[in-house]
Amino acid sequence: MTVSQQFLSIAALIASGVIGAAIIDLVRSFSFYAAPKSLLRKGYILFELTAWILLGIGTFLLLMVVRDGEWHFVDFLSQLLGFCLYQLFLQSLVRFCGRLFVRLVIHPIWFIIRLIIGIVRQIIRIIVKIVMIILFPLRFVVEKIKNFTLKK
């Protein structure tokens, strides 16, 4: 393996460490901000354990592509370096980008969905009120007929 290939494999593993740290940070943030009685908060350990297992599988697949499955101690150190780089320098930037994404993309989509649901509810309420207004005289007649037949 040439020096340039070794450098690229170490760079790939550092990048996978950064991505892994971001994913774990995301999982912990989801669990922290979840409602107290939600399944995500109650099953936090299982959720994070699943994330770690998937990250391990992803790292193994990356090693299969980059180094034909060979694992060296340098790989562990480069991933650890990626985790440290994320924690020291990139965490605030990634969290800011996440908040920006939520504010600019998720909130407008959620607003539009709630607006559509509200409009559909109002339309259904108006239809029900119109039907009730139309059926009110008929209900009055039916009650009078029912009272009349009971008197016989």
Side-chain angles (χ1 to χ4, degrees), residues 140-152:
F140 182 72
V141 171
V142 169
E143 286 179 10
K144 288 295 184 180
I145 292 174
K146 188 189 285 183
N147 288 337
F148 181 71
T149 56
L150 291 177
K151 288 182 181 179
K152 284 187 175 183

Side-chain angles (χ1 to χ4, degrees), residues 61-101:
L61 291 175
L62 182 67
L63 281 173
M64 290 298 287
V65 170
V66 173
R67 291 205 177 188
D68 295 328
E70 292 181 21
W71 185 82
H72 300 282
F73 189 68
V74 176
D75 301 334
F76 170 72
L77 291 178
S78 59
Q79 277 203 315
L80 187 62
L81 177 65
F83 268 76
C84 292
L85 283 174
Y86 176 78
Q87 292 294 326
L88 291 175
F89 302 113
L90 299 174
Q91 186 177 26
S92 59
L93 177 68
V94 170
R95 285 187 176 184
F96 172 74
C97 291
R99 285 191 304 270
L100 194 65
F101 178 77

Side-chain angles (χ1 to χ4, degrees), residues 17-139:
V18 169
I19 292 170
I23 290 172
I24 292 299
D25 190 32
L26 183 68
V27 165
R28 290 179 180 166
S29 296
F30 278 162
S31 298
F32 180 75
Y33 290 114
K37 294 185 178 181
S38 72
L39 198 59
L40 188 61
R41 173 81 57 96
K42 289 180 181 178
Y44 166 72
I45 294 173
L46 184 64
F47 186 51
E48 186 169 347
L49 184 64
T50 304
W52 278 107
I53 289 171
L54 290 175
L55 284 172
I57 292 170
T59 300
F60 178 73
L61 291 175
L62 182 67
L63 281 173
M64 290 298 287
V65 170
V66 173
R67 291 205 177 188
D68 295 328
E70 292 181 21
W71 185 82
H72 300 282
F73 189 68
V74 176
D75 301 334
F76 170 72
L77 291 178
S78 59
Q79 277 203 315
L80 187 62
L81 177 65
F83 268 76
C84 292
L85 283 174
Y86 176 78
Q87 292 294 326
L88 291 175
F89 302 113
L90 299 174
Q91 186 177 26
S92 59
L93 177 68
V94 170
R95 285 187 176 184
F96 172 74
C97 291
R99 285 191 304 270
L100 194 65
F101 178 77
V102 166
R103 299 270 187 212
L104 293 178
V105 176
I106 303 296
H107 282 181
I109 290 173
W110 187 245
F111 172 75
I112 290 170
I113 290 171
R114 286 189 359 220
L115 181 69
I116 291 171
I117 289 172
I119 290 172
V120 169
R121 277 187 184 163
Q122 289 297 336
I123 290 171
I124 290 173
R125 285 181 184 157
I126 290 171
I127 291 172
V128 167
K129 286 186 180 191
I130 290 173
V131 169
M132 294 301 290
I133 289 172
I134 292 172
L135 292 180
F136 178 74
L138 186 62
R139 189 178 82 185

